[in-house]
Amino acid sequence: LTLVGIKPVIVHGGGKDINRMLEKLNIEAKFIDGVRVTDEATMEVVEMVLWGSINNEIVSLLCGHGAKAIGLNGKSSSFFKAKPLAEGMGLTGEVTEVDPSIVEKVLDEKFVPVIASIAEGESLGHPGYNINADTLASAVAVAIKAKKVIFMTDTAGVLDKEKSLLATLDKKKIDTLIGDGTIAGGMIPKVDACIKAIDGGVEKAHIIDGRVEHSILLELFTVDGIGTEISL
């Protein structure tokens, strides 16, 4: 993508790796309605896994394949800030502010920003907030005025009740599919993030199967694509 003049920005989470580390440390993983409750001990693990492990691995892989990459998180030059998501959720947060100039400067230097979903807190010494990566990707896409936002997951895209791929969707159709239960579970926050991105000015959002080799290229540069495209 960088070779053909596209400027990719990567946002990542790491829920499964966080769960594995919590289990090793005998720290209970708690969830409310599928959302992680992040106490201070869990937040330490979140930062250790996302920033100390996964982010470095992605940056290293990109550099090893010829791209210049650099890791960022919300604490990098006050890049993005958050507040508590809801009462009882601890340090699980929602983004309140994104400074697009940080990403823009990195892109101007021809680096690929690799962003871990850890936000800066409200005060000096605050441990920070654990942010849903889909939500963060949407917020960053809006802030930098991205043309597209692409969510990579482990399914083919949004599926109908017969498990067939829905190649295109708009907001009205999404509301109908959520209402009748076709879109459920972990796919709801992904389509919500897509809608927020589009409402914020991003032209198109895509949900694609990250397990497919060259999935981003196939979605962007073929007529039919391989996942679900969401637009106004």
Side-chain angles (χ1 to χ4, degrees):
L1 294 176
T2 57
L3 287 173
V4 297
I6 293 173
K7 298 177 179 179
V9 176
I10 297 171
V11 178
H12 71 87
K16 291 179 181 178
D17 284 11
I18 291 167
N19 287 342
R20 279 193 287 268
M21 184 58 70
L22 288 172
E23 187 176 351
K24 283 183 181 178
L25 297 174
N26 292 315
I27 299 172
E28 182 184 359
K30 298 176 184 176
F31 295 86
I32 296 177
D33 295 330
V35 180
R36 186 185 303 280
V37 178
T38 311
D39 58 19
E40 290 207 16
T42 302
M43 188 64 215
E44 287 186 34
V45 174
V46 167
E47 186 159 358
M48 176 174 64
V49 172
L50 295 186
W51 184 236
S53 177
I54 296 175
N55 193 276
N56 285 331
E57 184 178 356
I58 295 171
V59 168
S60 177
L61 284 167
L62 286 168
C63 291
H65 283 84
K68 294 197 302 180
I70 189 166
L72 298 170
N73 66 57
K75 298 177 182 180
S76 307
S77 302
S78 297
F79 173 21
F80 56 92
K81 299 180 180 180
K83 65 179 182 180
L85 178 63
E87 189 174 346
M89 297 302 296
L91 295 170
T92 299
E94 63 176 330
V95 177
T96 57
E97 180 185 339
V98 178
D99 180 357
S101 69
I102 308 299
V103 171
E104 289 162 358
K105 287 172 184 174
V106 170
L107 291 173
D108 286 345
E109 294 297 324
K110 299 188 175 359
F111 280 85
V112 177
V114 180
I115 303 166
S117 52
I118 302 161
E120 183 178 58
E122 305 99 327
S123 58
L124 191 65
H126 189 283
Y129 287 102
N130 177 24
I131 307 295
N132 176 277
D134 294 330
T135 305
L136 176 61
S138 178
V140 171
V142 170
I144 66 172
K145 297 179 171 58
K147 293 285 187 183
K148 290 178 180 285
V149 59
I150 301 170
F151 297 89
M152 300 178 74
T153 184
D154 58 357
T155 64
V158 181
L159 308 179
D160 64 17
K161 287 188 180 296
E162 285 70 45
K163 304 302 180 186
S164 297
L165 177 68
L166 296 165
T168 59
L169 288 173
D170 58 25
K171 289 166 62 177
K172 185 177 178 181
K173 182 64 173 175
I174 286 170
D175 287 340
T176 301
L177 294 174
I178 291 175
D180 68 14
T182 302
I183 296 177
M187 189 55 73
I188 291 178
K190 280 189 170 28
V191 295
D192 282 347
C194 289
I195 290 169
K196 285 178 181 174
I198 291 166
D199 284 343
V202 179
E203 291 178 9
K204 289 182 180 177
H206 305 255
I207 299 174
I208 67 173
D209 191 342
R211 301 168 300 178
V212 175
E213 191 171 10
H214 308 308
S215 55
I216 293 177
L217 298 177
L218 292 169
E219 179 66 8
L220 295 182
F221 298 125
T222 63
V223 174
D224 295 330
I226 63 163
T228 300
E229 179 182 279
I230 298 169
S231 61
L232 292 172

